[in-house]
Amino acid sequence: MVDISLLAQAEGVTSPAWPLRVLRATAPRRGIPITAISALGLLLAWALATKFKLVAPLFLPSPFEVASQFYSVAVDGFSNATLLQHVGTSLFRVLSGFAIATAIGVPLGLAMGMNRWVRGIASAPIQLYWPVPPLAYLPLVIIWFGIGETAKIILLSLAMFAPIVISAQAGVRSVSPSRIQAAQSLGATRWQVFRHVVLPSALPEILTGLRLAIGSGWGTLVAAELVAATKGLGFMTMSAAQFLVTDVVFVGILTIAALASIFLFALRTLERRLTPWKGQE
């Protein structure tokens, strides 16, 4: 047993939060992540449900059937395109929308957090459209921009834009006024205060917004590829659903989930590298 009080005295810890930090430091390391155990449990439950025919194969194919169909789609293709071509098309659309939303949303959110006039002008339209599902304004996007790639990328950009703006604004608003006052008392200019105080302090919130945005983008992909698409994971999934090819539907869903998880992992890794101080006193 570890005497926490002795550890605290040895380290000279006087912060009220010391018990939590000591417990984290002395907690045993797990060999297998809980997330992996949860995923294996879901996979096992799925396999058992199909093995004992608790659900008809039309509605829930077995994991082995989905794996076989995954190989078939990767090699032979589906809807006149291979899986790699569907993935490439969807990646281009999501990344293009993400780049546009980030390039416009981060500066606008920072400006909204620092200037009440910008906040007053931009808040109303963002707050009005953000709760609206992308499928609701999809017809307007089609009327205004047609049925080509432009409309799809704009729809994805709109889905990702609001979380980025609001997170960047929240990051600026969360900056401690004492830090700004300390920098100003040392003779820092407005640009230096922004560069060395405001931006680093807002960065964790901005990166959180980027994670939320990329999730919204992948969630909107199927809606974006509903109209006049000939390639893409959303198009493949909806085409398979129309013909009741459920195993291909699962291939599309799992591929989208895997790609989204890779993006989220990359952003979390970037967040740990850029903001190592996050969560620390």
Side-chain angles (χ1 to χ4, degrees):
M1 296 294 290
V2 178
D3 192 334
I4 295 177
S5 62
L6 291 178
L7 281 174
Q9 293 172 5
E11 295 180 1
V13 178
T14 58
S15 170
W18 68 263
L20 180 59
R21 290 202 295 269
V22 173
L23 284 174
R24 286 174 179 172
T26 58
R29 298 291 182 180
R30 299 293 182 183
I32 302 177
I34 298 176
T35 304
I37 296 175
S38 175
L40 289 174
L42 287 173
L43 185 61
L44 179 62
W46 179 11
L48 291 175
T50 54
K51 178 178 177 58
F52 293 105
K53 301 187 183 302
L54 301 179
V55 183
L58 176 64
F59 303 108
L60 184 66
S62 72
F64 306 103
E65 292 173 350
V66 172
S68 174
Q69 193 61 256
F70 182 92
Y71 176 80
S72 177
V73 173
V75 174
D76 302 325
F78 186 84
S79 295
N80 301 318
T82 63
L83 181 61
L84 186 59
Q85 290 173 325
H86 287 302
V87 169
T89 302
S90 293
L91 275 176
F92 170 75
R93 290 166 179 161
V94 172
L95 289 177
S96 298
F98 182 70
I100 294 171
T102 302
I104 300 174
V106 171
L108 179 59
L110 293 174
M112 290 172 64
M114 299 182 67
N115 189 292
R116 65 187 183 90
W117 288 100
V118 178
R119 183 168 62 253
I121 293 170
S123 288
I126 292 174
Q127 295 291 344
L128 282 174
Y129 100 86
W130 185 27
V132 180
L135 275 175
Y137 50 82
L138 175 60
L140 271 181
V141 174
I142 294 172
I143 292 171
W144 290 344
F145 301 100
I147 58 175
E149 287 297 312
T150 302
K152 297 175 179 59
I153 293 173
I154 287 176
L155 182 69
L156 291 170
S157 301
L158 288 172
M160 293 184 271
F161 179 71
I164 293 175
V165 174
I166 293 173
S167 296
Q169 177 189 354
V172 175
R173 303 290 290 177
S174 66
V175 178
S176 173
S178 60
R179 293 183 181 180
I180 297 176
Q181 293 167 1
Q184 290 173 338
S185 67
L186 293 173
T189 63
R190 292 191 64 180
W191 167 249
Q192 289 173 330
V193 170
F194 172 78
R195 171 67 180 81
H196 297 288
V197 179
V198 176
L199 188 58
S201 299
L203 194 56
E205 292 284 351
I206 293 173
L207 292 172
T208 299
L210 294 180
R211 292 211 322 264
L212 293 173
I214 200 67
S216 299
W218 283 107
T220 311
L221 180 67
V222 175
E225 294 181 344
L226 280 175
V227 181
T230 57
K231 291 180 185 177
L233 292 170
F235 166 75
M236 183 188 78
T237 302
M238 295 305 299
S239 298
Q242 290 176 355
F243 296 101
L244 297 180
V245 189
T246 315
D247 44 6
V248 176
V249 173
F250 271 83
V251 170
I253 292 173
L254 293 176
T255 304
I256 292 174
L259 290 171
S261 299
I262 291 171
F263 274 85
L264 292 174
F265 175 77
L267 287 171
R268 280 196 297 268
T269 302
L270 181 65
E271 182 178 5
R272 285 195 296 268
R273 289 184 178 275
L274 293 180
T275 60
W277 63 86
K278 183 180 179 182
Q280 298 180 5
E281 294 294 336

